[in-house]
Amino acid sequence: MLQHLTQALFPLLSLIVLGAVLGRKTDFFDGKALSGLVTTVGVPALLLHSVLSMELGIVQMGNLVGLTLAWLVAMALITAAVLKLAGLPVRSYLPALVHPNTGNTGIPVCLALFGPQSIGLAMVISSVIQVSHFTLGIGCLSGRFSLRALLKNGPVLALLAGAGLLAFDANLPVPVMTTLDMLGAITVPIMLMQLGSSIANLKLSGARDMVRPVAFSVYRPLGGLALAWVLLLVWPLDGLQAQVFLVQCAMPVAVMSYVLSVRYQGPSKDIALMIPLSLAVSLGITIAFALA
């Protein structure tokens, strides 16, 4: 049992720590170039290759997308009610508490726990969350919706392309699939190291009120997991799909929420503190899945 747990978490934690060290000691993660490479090339290639490689038809894929959307709507409504009861600004905190880090944390966690066959499923869920970042996230924090940004989003386009190919039962040539596989292989390690670098360089000196960030850090993964479990009772999925869905919904506060909060003058200090705290809670959930 201990060996299985170590094997599942060691690569994940090692790359996060390596990213934290490199983020402190080097300028490898400075600027937008590396992040842009992953977003515009690596993630779309990984998503398209994973969707076309997994044994998941268009109906099953639509079912997973539909359940993820239902979870997002329910999570947003419940969180909005919680924030109103707490007397806090809904638009400022809602995106961070709703959106899990399904990308640079969730995908590697699913890979470690369930193997390569889970990547496609994790990527489908992550793509839906990314769409929500550009709709619910930016809409809440800025007060406006950017259709142009959504249509230029590489993972969204890759998801649509994969769905179209699955719908027509079309296969890409082997050399093209190999190219997508090679491009996608850069994605997970870089995302993990970027996460480590982001956490290591967060400036938390202004976060004096610890009660609220700690409470939200527990709410984000545990609330997401509980809601996912309830939804699966009325909208069941197959074994692996259900496991991946539960894990993805239990991921920590997304780094993207911090980035958007800084850009649109949101509560960035609180959200910065919530990222590492909620990550600790999510890793505890991951350990429970590994031991199960």
Side-chain angles (χ1 to χ4, degrees):
M1 188 69 70
L2 182 60
Q3 182 180 5
H4 175 71
L5 177 62
T6 302
Q7 289 176 346
L9 295 180
F10 182 79
L12 172 69
L13 297 177
S14 295
L15 287 173
I16 292 176
V17 171
L18 177 60
V21 173
L22 292 176
R24 284 288 191 181
K25 302 295 184 180
T26 72
D27 59 355
F28 292 165
F29 302 103
D30 293 348
K32 300 180 180 179
L34 187 58
S35 178
L37 175 66
V38 171
T39 303
T40 60
V41 178
V43 172
L46 179 61
L47 174 59
L48 185 56
H49 180 273
S50 299
V51 167
L52 296 178
S53 299
M54 64 184 177
E55 297 180 0
L56 188 67
I58 185 64
V59 175
Q60 292 173 302
M61 180 177 171
N63 193 37
L64 184 58
V65 169
L67 180 57
T68 305
L69 288 173
W71 178 86
L72 276 170
V73 172
M75 189 71 180
L77 292 175
I78 293 171
T79 303
V82 170
L83 289 170
K84 284 187 176 181
L85 288 174
L88 296 173
V90 174
R91 285 174 52 183
S92 297
Y93 286 97
L94 184 67
L97 295 177
V98 169
H99 296 134
N101 194 337
T102 54
N104 52 12
T105 303
I107 292 172
V109 165
C110 290
L111 175 63
L113 290 177
F114 310 121
Q117 66 271 20
S118 67
I119 292 182
L121 300 171
M123 288 294 294
V124 169
I125 296 171
S126 182
S127 295
V128 177
I129 300 300
Q130 287 201 40
V131 173
S132 187
H133 273 301
F134 285 96
T135 52
L136 176 66
I138 292 180
C140 282
L141 290 169
S142 69
R144 63 181 185 275
F145 167 70
S146 176
L147 180 61
R148 177 181 297 181
L150 181 62
L151 294 177
K152 291 169 63 177
N153 186 271
V156 174
L157 297 177
L159 180 63
L160 294 175
L165 291 170
L166 287 177
F168 290 100
D169 197 22
N171 296 314
L172 293 178
V174 173
V176 176
M177 290 294 290
T178 302
T179 302
L180 291 173
D181 188 27
M182 294 175 67
L183 290 172
I186 70 174
T187 306
V188 173
I190 292 179
M191 287 194 301
L192 280 173
M193 288 188 288
Q194 282 184 313
L195 175 62
S197 177
S198 298
I199 293 175
N201 287 290
L202 290 175
K203 300 184 183 301
L204 304 176
S205 58
R208 298 178 180 177
D209 186 1
M210 292 290 294
V211 175
R212 184 164 57 205
V214 170
F216 286 163
S217 298
V218 174
Y219 172 82
R220 158 80 289 288
L222 290 183
L225 178 64
L227 178 59
W229 180 78
V230 171
L231 286 178
L232 285 173
L233 295 178
V234 297
W235 192 329
L237 296 175
D238 293 338
L240 180 61
Q241 295 182 48
Q243 289 178 312
V244 171
F245 179 69
L246 287 170
V247 169
Q248 286 285 61
C249 292
M251 287 296 99
V253 175
V255 176
M256 177 61 73
S257 295
Y258 171 74
V259 173
L260 293 177
S261 182
V262 171
R263 180 176 179 181
Y264 294 107
Q265 291 78 51
S268 57
K269 296 295 184 182
D270 280 357
I271 295 175
L273 186 57
M274 287 157 55
I275 292 175
L277 292 175
S278 61
L279 178 60
V281 178
S282 293
L283 288 180
I285 295 173
T286 300
I287 291 173
F289 270 91
L291 291 173

